[in-house]
Amino acid sequence: MGKLENRVAFVTGGASGLGKAQAVRFAEEGAKVVVADRNEQGAMEVAGIITAEGGAAKGVAVDVTDADSVAAAVAAALDAFGRIDILSNTAGLFDQFKPTLDTDPATWDAVVAVNLTAVYTVTNAVLPHMIAAGRGVVLNIASGAGLRGGGGGAAYTSTKHAVVGYTRQLSADYGNQGIRINAIAPGLIDTPMVAHFSHDEDTLANLRRQPAGRLGRPSDVANAAVFLVSDDADFIHAVTLPVDGGLVETL
Ligand SMILES: NC(=O)c1ccc[n+]([C@@H]2O[C@H](COP(=O)([O-])OP(=O)(O)OC[C@H]3O[C@@H](n4cnc5c(N)ncnc54)[C@H](O)[C@@H]3O)[C@@H](O)[C@H]2O)c1
């Protein structure tokens, strides 16, 4: 018996990296999964991986920065599986460590739109259905850059700090209506988002000095996500769990 039997999960950013890993792991634990991404082909491929393993999944094209697109994706999810029990806000955009003076307004707006405003938009689209059902779990993928400076650029670090705050406030406002909201703060994880520097010798040398001594794997985050969205974490609300090999606690 999986930890997520009879649950329906909606995963944004599900076509790649941490979203893909969560979608696949959630399905392994018995969840029916809606793989939502602006990369429609990627979303369909991940849904195909899940169904090929005997799971239930649906790929959905969505631009999380567009409220109409989000509403349509949520409607498609409800149409396919009847409800949404688990929302994982995972879609994100990196800003390549740009300091504020190197951040043009278009970059700032794009990063805020995906990493922060979209978390609000998708949550607001899903939460009423959870409240009506009397239960639900929201997991926001923040970042170590949401807990400390130095893990991203000005826009990325600002949005990830805001996601940590949003997680706390959602919990304060909706926790006692049967909704559990938490976040994960991944460290450096081996995904396409960071592939352009994560295997550099300098980066790997830095990682070797840290407690876990290695680059994170998408499965490291997906395993923590399964725990946080499952009933095993029933008494855990409003936390941002670092999954970073010990990085932020040993800086
Ligand atoms: N990889 C890391 O080291 C790391 C560390 C800390 C936090 N994170 C966070 O984890 C999350 C996932 O990152 P990843 O490493 O898997 O990156 P990734 O680039 O592999 O995947 C991100 C996914 O989000 C999707 N996406 C982007 N904008 C979208 C939009 N407007 N609408 C719908 N989908 C959109 C992309 O198509 C992609 O499939 C992000 O929020 C990221 O900030 C990653």
Side-chain angles (χ1 to χ4, degrees), residues 12-20 22 36-39 61-66 89-94 113-115 118 141-145 156 160 184-194 197-198 215 221:
T12 75
S16 178
L18 304 185
K20 176 180 178 180
Q22 288 174 87
D37 203 292
R38 74 175 165 191
N39 172 0
V62 68
D63 178 352
V64 292
T65 67
D66 175 342
N89 283 309
T90 301
L93 213 56
F94 194 52
V114 178
N115 290 5
I141 301 300
S143 170
Y156 187 83
K160 293 300 186 179
I184 287 176
L188 190 63
I189 315 288
D190 192 7
T191 74
M193 178 181 275
V194 295
F197 70 93
S198 57
L215 185 59
V221 173

Side-chain angles (χ1 to χ4, degrees), residues 2-29:
K3 289 181 186 295
L4 304 178
E5 295 292 339
N6 300 318
R7 306 286 164 88
V8 178
F10 187 97
V11 181
T12 75
S16 178
L18 304 185
K20 176 180 178 180
Q22 288 174 87
V24 170
R25 278 292 288 123
F26 290 176
E28 285 170 3
E29 294 293 340

Side-chain angles (χ1 to χ4, degrees), residues 9-15 23 33-37 42-44 46-47 50 57-61:
F10 187 97
V11 181
T12 75
V33 181
V34 178
V35 183
D37 203 292
M44 298 303 168
V46 172
I50 292 169
K58 181 178 175 63
V60 175

Side-chain angles (χ1 to χ4, degrees), residues 16-233:
S16 178
L18 304 185
K20 176 180 178 180
Q22 288 174 87
V24 170
R25 278 292 288 123
F26 290 176
E28 285 170 3
E29 294 293 340
K32 297 171 184 154
V33 181
V34 178
V35 183
D37 203 292
R38 74 175 165 191
N39 172 0
E40 182 172 13
Q41 192 190 338
M44 298 303 168
E45 279 171 16
V46 172
I49 291 169
I50 292 169
T51 50
E53 293 295 317
K58 181 178 175 63
V60 175
V62 68
D63 178 352
V64 292
T65 67
D66 175 342
D68 290 340
S69 173
V70 168
V74 169
L78 294 171
D79 194 43
F81 297 128
R83 51 180 212 283
I84 298 173
D85 304 295
I86 297 163
L87 167 62
S88 174
N89 283 309
T90 301
L93 213 56
F94 194 52
D95 68 353
Q96 315 305 339
F97 299 105
K98 282 190 176 142
T100 192
L101 292 177
D102 300 333
T103 302
D104 57 57
T107 301
W108 178 272
D109 287 347
V111 173
V112 170
V114 178
N115 290 5
L116 179 57
T117 309
V119 176
Y120 146 83
T121 304
V122 178
T123 302
N124 273 13
V126 172
L127 201 54
H129 302 284
M130 291 179 167
I131 291 169
R135 72 168 197 185
V137 182
V138 179
L139 178 65
N140 297 323
I141 301 300
S143 170
L147 303 171
R148 301 280 190 279
Y156 187 83
T157 299
S158 299
T159 57
K160 293 300 186 179
H161 273 70
V163 167
V164 172
Y166 184 66
T167 301
R168 291 187 175 121
Q169 192 59 44
L170 275 184
S171 299
D173 292 334
Y174 299 102
N176 64 6
Q177 295 180 51
I179 316 298
R180 245 174 9 85
I181 304 106
N182 291 293
I184 287 176
L188 190 63
I189 315 288
D190 192 7
T191 74
M193 178 181 275
V194 295
H196 56 291
F197 70 93
S198 57
H199 292 272
D200 292 355
E201 201 34 60
D202 281 359
T203 304
L204 294 174
N206 276 336
L207 290 171
R208 277 194 283 273
R209 284 193 287 275
Q210 288 156 15
R214 65 168 172 84
L215 185 59
R217 305 179 189 108
S219 59
D220 294 318
V221 173
N223 289 335
V226 167
F227 168 66
L228 282 177
V229 303
S230 76
D231 289 344
D232 286 350

